[in-house]
Amino acid sequence: MDPNSRLPSLTGLRWAAALIVFGQHLLEQYYNQQLVAPKPVKSVVWAAFTHGGGLGVSFFFVLSGFVLAWSSRPGERAGTFWWRRFSKVYPATLVTTVVAAFLIGGAGPLQLATHLTLTQSWWPRRDVYAALNPVSWSLSCEAFFYLCFPLLLAVMRRLGPSGLWAIAVMMIECVAAVGMNLVPASHDTATYAGYILPPVRMAEFTLGIAVALLVRTGSWRGPGLRWSLALLPPAMVAGLFAPSPSTSTPSRSSR
């Protein structure tokens, strides 16, 4: 397939994922910051937004790896790639950080420095990674992804379809293992170690690269619309019962 061809089907997926993430942020802002609700309130809509918001973020991380690998330029130097990403992402980040500092305030030197350098997600403190513009923690993860991308892509390009499939499966297993192992942890620990920390989210980004390379080489064309629609309802139902480290309510010694 032509790597320069557009993939319009991704536009609709972006819209749906962004809507669910927005819904989760509304719940956090106006109902419960930790997304923990009493049982009568845990309706299908509630579960769809609390679990779906996290899945939406995962989708965007996978999509980031996919798009970068899909549109990668043969022979492009790492420095050129880094400059293109910096010039595209950082100006808007700088403006929103400065505006947030004036409008919200309350940020000390550490918060301001980490947000300006996109390193806030490396600090296991909510008053750091959630300061100023709270959702920018994901940009901190993306900055780490961009740093690693040239080397990661160069290595994965050397692999055949079997190697790429192996990486894809391992990345999915890593995501599942992290989530399951953090379910008994406190909310703050699970949120940071399983949701915010950049190396943990790297698995989803790497999965996107593997899928893009499989599609580009014609080794996989995706499940298709019919299979996707058929798998969606059982996946949604499973999501209602699957444990989530940052939204489940195990016994917590810290509370």
Side-chain angles (χ1 to χ4, degrees):
M1 298 179 69
D2 181 8
N4 295 318
S5 63
R6 296 177 60 86
L7 299 173
S9 59
L10 296 180
T11 302
L13 292 175
R14 283 193 185 103
W15 183 88
L19 178 63
I20 295 175
V21 173
F22 178 70
Q24 177 178 342
H25 286 310
L26 287 180
L27 290 179
E28 289 178 307
Q29 182 68 28
Y30 296 107
Y31 188 84
N32 188 303
Q33 191 176 53
Q34 293 188 344
L35 296 176
V36 176
K39 289 183 179 180
V41 183
K42 279 199 170 181
S43 63
V44 173
V45 175
W46 175 273
F49 278 117
T50 55
H51 291 272
L55 291 176
V57 173
S58 293
F59 168 78
F60 281 117
F61 285 154
V62 174
L63 183 64
S64 178
F66 184 97
V67 170
L68 289 179
W70 180 266
S71 60
S72 61
R73 303 174 182 179
E76 182 180 47
R77 294 183 177 181
T80 304
F81 167 80
W82 290 329
W83 172 250
R84 286 198 300 112
R85 301 313 302 168
F86 176 84
S87 59
K88 184 175 182 178
V89 174
Y90 192 75
T93 301
L94 177 61
V95 171
T96 56
T97 300
V98 173
V99 170
F102 279 102
L103 294 181
I104 300 175
L110 175 61
Q111 286 82 354
L112 188 59
T114 54
H115 279 253
L116 287 175
T117 57
L118 290 177
T119 57
Q120 65 268 38
S121 292
W122 293 92
W123 291 80
R125 288 171 45 181
R126 184 176 180 82
D127 67 319
V128 174
Y129 66 74
L132 296 172
N133 181 15
V135 297
S136 66
W137 70 265
S138 61
L139 287 178
S140 179
C141 291
E142 288 283 354
F144 176 64
F145 300 162
Y146 299 157
L147 182 64
C148 300
F149 177 74
L151 178 60
L152 194 59
L153 181 64
V155 172
M156 294 177 66
R157 272 177 169 168
R158 298 175 179 270
L159 302 176
S162 59
L164 292 172
W165 276 116
I167 287 180
V169 171
M170 284 190 294
M171 294 303 102
I172 295 173
E173 290 178 345
C174 285
V175 172
V178 168
M180 294 296 291
N181 288 329
L182 285 173
V183 166
S186 68
H187 179 273
D188 290 341
T189 299
T191 298
Y192 179 73
Y195 198 76
I196 303 294
L197 189 61
V200 172
R201 307 313 297 259
M202 188 74 177
E204 294 149 317
F205 181 77
T206 305
L207 173 61
I209 297 175
V211 172
L213 294 178
L214 285 168
V215 175
R216 283 185 63 171
T217 58
S219 301
W220 189 52
R221 296 185 62 85
L225 181 60
R226 291 183 179 179
W227 272 107
S228 298
L229 291 176
L231 292 172
L232 182 59
M236 291 180 65
V237 172
L240 300 180
F241 299 97
S244 174
S246 58
T247 58
S248 56
T249 55
S251 60
R252 297 182 173 95
S253 59
S254 62
R255 293 184 65 182

